């Protein structure tokens, strides 16, 4: 079956200069589609419907004014005539103007009305625009849909936009009719149930990254904390104790030390909730207990946390390229010039720098792989086992490599008292706490006795049910307290 969205919508001119759509052949057996409204969405919708082979009639209060803006295959007429001719009508007018269509109440009775409107702000209380439209026209069958599809997507095709169209209605027949239109236009309808779900559908285009708020806020808080911490140690401390001005470090060097700190902590926060969930399942002996709300929200934010970590790591790489490389070159030259055993400390410093750079590059590579596979277009091409291997096994490898990168960077500075400015430990010491906790927790869950019990729980085994079945009959009569104490 050919893809309907592959049909071109670009207007072309023939020999006589007349405009036409390629493959736009009306299907006389299809229902006549009416559109009430002449805005951008109405024009794009008319073009898409014409290209899909539908007969389209557009209703306008001033048809002669807008006839040139629609394809020639679509008939532009009055609203009353369009309502009479159409079998299904798209109501593409602002919701505050729905009351102006009351003159068409008798004409629209028994017909399907598709409400494509959106609100100007998120509406939590209701009623929705679709429900108000149903109140205006109780004799019609109202379907909510196409409000999440932009005019650009309608005109250019679902290949350049989302393919999903959310639908809801109290009439299953009317909803099935709109579903068939969606399929023919190349979209994928998603049934959201009754018309009471229309409020949720109308709010969808108005949300501004709802799943990103917590991860971005966490990233900003960590960045501010580590930036101020590094500012005190690298800028403020030499200024107070040695009267050296190092404020020039603030734009690049302090930021470059802060970014990897945030990236590593954020990456540890990706895998910490999974460990906590495993501990709760081991503690309760079942997988059927609901996680606390804070943990449930944390688990659903892991993808965004990982992408924020990748952003900080990528920025760290860019900032590192902007820093002068004279220190590394200086150490390398000194290592080659000095040949005595007295220069072992210089050679050690060169090896330290080379190792932490190499491990850091590998950690960034693994983190890039995690970020790429989290994209829906890539995740859809691999099976669940492959996705789990990349996000879990390689994810822990990325966390381990990033931790080793930080260890090579810090080297033995954690044991040098002079590094504790204002009695504050070096930044990398604070950064390593959470990754060490996560890696040790993961290692503990990999122990055979723990892993075997966790695997049984996740396959449906329950400790209390197992104990109840294994106890003798006389012990089962002692009550629940005896079982819970086992």
């Amino acid at each position: 079956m050919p893809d309907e969205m592959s049909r071109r919508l670009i207007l072309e001119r023939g020999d006589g200069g007349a405009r036409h759509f390629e493959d736009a052949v009306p299907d006389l057996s299809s229902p006549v589609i009416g559109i009430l409204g002449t805005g951008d969405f109405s024009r794009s919708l008319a073009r898409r419907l014409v290209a899909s082979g539908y007969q389209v009639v557009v209703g306008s209060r001033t048809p002669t004014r807008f006839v040139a803006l629609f394809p020639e295959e679509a008939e532009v007429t009055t609203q009353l005539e369009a309502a009479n001719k159409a079998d299904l009508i798209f109501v593409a007018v602002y919701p505050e103007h729905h009351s102006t269509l009351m003159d068409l109440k008798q004409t629209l009775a028994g017909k399907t009305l598709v409400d494509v409107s959106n609100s100007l702000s998120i509406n939590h209380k209701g009623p929705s625009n679709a429900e108000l439209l149903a109140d205006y026209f109780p004799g019609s069958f109202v379907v909510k849909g196409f409000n999440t599809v932009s005019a650009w997507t309608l005109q250019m095709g679902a290949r350049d936009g989302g393919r999903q169209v959310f639908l809801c209605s109290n009439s299953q027949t009317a909803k099935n009719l709109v579903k068939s239109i969606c399929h023919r236009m190349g979209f994928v309808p998603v049934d959201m149930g009754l018309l009471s779900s229309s409020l949720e559908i109308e709010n969808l285009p108005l949300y501004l990254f709802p799943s990103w708020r917590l991860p971005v806020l966490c990233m900003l808080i960590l960045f501010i904390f580590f930036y101020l911490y590094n500012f005190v140690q690298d800028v403020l401390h030499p200024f107070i104790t040695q009267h050296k001005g190092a404020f020039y470090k603030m734009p690049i060097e302090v930021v470059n030390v802060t970014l990897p700190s945030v990236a590593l902590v954020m990456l540890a926060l990706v895998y910490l909730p999974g460990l906590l969930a495993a501990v709760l399942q081991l503690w309760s002996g079942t997988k059927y207990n609901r996680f606390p709300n804070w943990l449930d929200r944390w688990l659903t934010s892991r993808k965004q946390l990982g992408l924020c970590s990748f952003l900080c790591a990528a920025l760290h790489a860019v900032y590192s390229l902007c820093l002068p490389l004279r220190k590394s070159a200086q150490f390398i030259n000194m290592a080659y010039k000095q040949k005595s055993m007295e220069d072992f400390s210089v050679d050690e410093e060169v090896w330290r720098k080379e190792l932490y750079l190499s491990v850091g590059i590998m950690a960034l590579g693994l983190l890039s792989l995690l970020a790429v596979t989290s994209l829906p277009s890539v995740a859809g091409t691999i099976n669940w086992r492959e996705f789990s291997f990349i996000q879990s096994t390689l994810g822990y490898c990325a966390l381990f490599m990033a931790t080793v990168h930080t260890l090579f960077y810090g080297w033995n500075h954690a044991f040098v008292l002079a590094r504790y400015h204002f009695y504050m430990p070096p930044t990398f010491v604070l950064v390593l706490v959470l990754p060490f906790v996560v890696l040790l927790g993961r290692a503990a869950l990999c122990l055979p006795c723990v892993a075997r019990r966790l695997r049984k729980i996740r396959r449906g085994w329950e400790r209390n049910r197992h104990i109840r079945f294994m106890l003798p009959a006389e012990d089962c009569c002692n009550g629940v307290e005896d079982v819970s104490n086992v």
Side-chain angles (χ1 to χ4, degrees):
M1 179 179 179
D3 189 0
E4 297 290 341
M5 298 308 288
S6 64
R7 292 174 175 172
R8 295 163 52 188
L9 292 181
I10 304 301
L11 292 176
E12 297 180 352
R13 293 189 177 273
D15 297 335
R19 297 178 302 175
H20 66 278
F21 285 96
E22 186 176 342
D23 294 335
V25 180
D27 186 357
L28 299 179
S29 62
S30 300
V32 179
I33 308 297
I35 303 175
L36 298 181
T38 54
D40 294 336
F41 186 87
S42 301
R43 295 195 291 269
S44 299
L45 179 60
R47 293 178 179 179
R48 183 75 260 165
L49 289 170
V50 168
S52 300
Y54 284 104
Q55 303 178 63
V56 179
V57 54
V58 181
S60 173
R61 289 175 293 180
T62 54
T64 56
R65 179 183 176 186
F66 297 100
V67 64
L69 300 178
F70 287 84
E72 292 182 353
E73 291 81 359
E75 179 185 359
V76 181
T77 182
T78 63
Q79 291 183 344
L80 180 59
E81 188 175 353
N84 279 320
K85 292 183 177 181
D87 303 307
L88 180 145
I89 297 97
F90 282 87
V91 183
V93 299
Y94 290 110
E96 55 267 24
H97 297 159
H98 284 171
S99 59
T100 62
L101 304 176
M102 291 299 293
D103 295 338
L104 308 176
K105 189 173 183 179
Q106 297 298 327
T107 308
L108 297 177
K111 296 187 178 183
T112 300
L113 305 181
V114 182
D115 178 36
V116 300
S117 64
N118 282 316
S119 301
L120 297 178
S121 60
I122 297 178
N123 182 4
H124 293 293
K125 299 179 180 180
S128 65
N129 297 334
E131 290 172 323
L132 291 176
L133 184 64
D135 293 338
Y136 284 133
F137 302 96
S140 303
F141 307 105
V142 177
V143 179
K144 185 68 186 184
F146 284 89
N147 64 302
T148 58
V149 180
S150 65
W152 172 263
T153 302
L154 285 172
Q155 187 168 355
M156 301 306 297
R159 294 166 299 180
D160 296 325
R163 298 183 69 95
Q164 289 185 335
V165 175
F166 299 96
L167 302 175
C168 68
S169 176
N170 292 334
S171 172
Q172 189 63 40
T173 304
K175 190 160 46 177
N176 290 337
L177 178 59
V178 180
K179 284 182 181 180
S180 64
I181 296 175
C182 289
H183 284 299
R184 190 162 171 178
M185 294 171 66
F187 292 99
V188 179
V190 179
D191 194 336
M192 298 290 289
L194 300 178
L195 197 61
S196 56
S197 303
S198 59
L199 185 63
E200 178 184 357
I201 297 177
E202 290 177 3
N203 287 333
L204 286 176
L206 302 176
Y207 289 124
L208 183 62
F209 304 113
S211 59
W212 285 87
R213 293 178 182 175
L214 181 62
V216 171
L217 180 62
C218 181
M219 180 180 66
L220 291 178
I221 292 175
L222 289 174
F223 183 85
I224 293 173
F225 170 77
F226 283 115
Y227 185 87
L228 294 177
Y229 196 92
N230 291 320
F231 172 79
V232 171
Q233 289 215 328
D234 299 338
V235 178
L236 194 59
H237 180 267
F239 179 76
I240 294 177
T241 58
Q242 305 175 17
H243 302 287
K244 291 183 179 180
F247 292 94
Y248 66 90
K249 295 182 178 180
M250 294 176 59
I252 294 183
E253 292 192 29
V254 177
V255 174
N256 192 44
V257 177
T258 302
L259 287 172
S261 304
V262 178
L264 183 54
V265 173
M266 293 288 288
L267 186 59
L269 290 176
V270 173
Y271 296 98
L272 181 58
L275 297 179
L276 296 178
V279 171
L280 288 177
Q281 289 179 342
L282 289 170
W283 177 266
S284 61
T286 179
K287 70 172 184 178
Y288 298 107
N289 289 347
R290 182 176 177 84
F291 294 135
N293 291 333
W294 59 269
L295 181 57
D296 188 62
R297 187 178 179 186
W298 193 354
L299 287 167
T300 57
S301 301
R302 288 180 294 177
K303 174 182 176 179
Q304 289 77 15
L305 289 169
L307 291 176
C308 288
S309 173
F310 172 71
L311 172 64
C312 294
L315 290 176
H316 169 55
V318 175
Y319 269 88
S320 298
L321 294 176
C322 296
L323 290 173
L325 301 178
R326 58 182 182 274
K327 292 184 179 180
S328 297
Q330 177 185 0
F331 279 117
I332 293 175
N333 291 333
M334 292 177 62
Y336 279 105
K337 289 180 180 179
Q338 303 294 337
K339 298 182 180 180
S340 62
M341 293 299 296
E342 300 175 354
D343 300 316
F344 175 76
S345 60
V346 177
D347 193 36
E348 178 186 2
E349 185 69 12
V350 173
W351 274 100
R352 180 185 74 86
K353 287 183 176 293
E354 296 298 321
L355 286 174
Y356 93 76
L357 285 175
S358 177
V359 175
I361 293 172
M362 288 187 286
L364 180 60
L366 290 174
L367 196 56
S368 303
L369 180 61
L370 297 178
V372 171
T373 53
S374 67
L375 298 175
S377 58
V378 179
T381 62
I382 56 180
N383 59 38
W384 172 248
R385 186 175 182 181
E386 295 167 342
F387 181 81
S388 178
F389 172 79
I390 294 174
Q391 295 294 328
S392 180
T393 305
L394 294 187
Y396 275 103
C397 290
L399 180 61
F400 176 78
M401 298 300 290
T403 304
V404 173
H405 169 68
T406 307
L407 285 173
F408 277 128
Y409 173 80
W411 205 242
N412 61 347
H413 295 167
F415 309 104
V416 178
L417 187 61
R419 295 284 180 175
Y420 288 74
H421 301 161
F422 297 128
Y423 302 101
M424 299 165 59
T427 306
F428 74 92
V429 176
L430 296 180
V431 173
L432 287 173
V433 173
L434 197 58
F436 267 119
V437 170
V438 174
L439 291 174
L440 291 176
R442 177 62 177 177
L445 292 180
C446 290
L447 295 176
C449 56
V450 180
R452 191 182 309 112
R453 174 60 61 89
L454 186 60
R455 192 180 305 113
K456 289 174 60 178
I457 291 175
R458 290 180 174 174
R459 288 192 171 194
W461 181 86
E462 293 184 85
R463 180 178 56 196
N464 291 339
R465 186 178 64 179
H466 178 74
I467 293 176
R468 185 170 66 250
F469 290 161
M470 295 298 294
L471 286 175
E474 58 272 15
D475 292 340
C476 292
C477 298
N478 294 333
V480 180
E481 294 183 358
D482 294 336
V483 178
S484 61
N485 292 329
V486 178

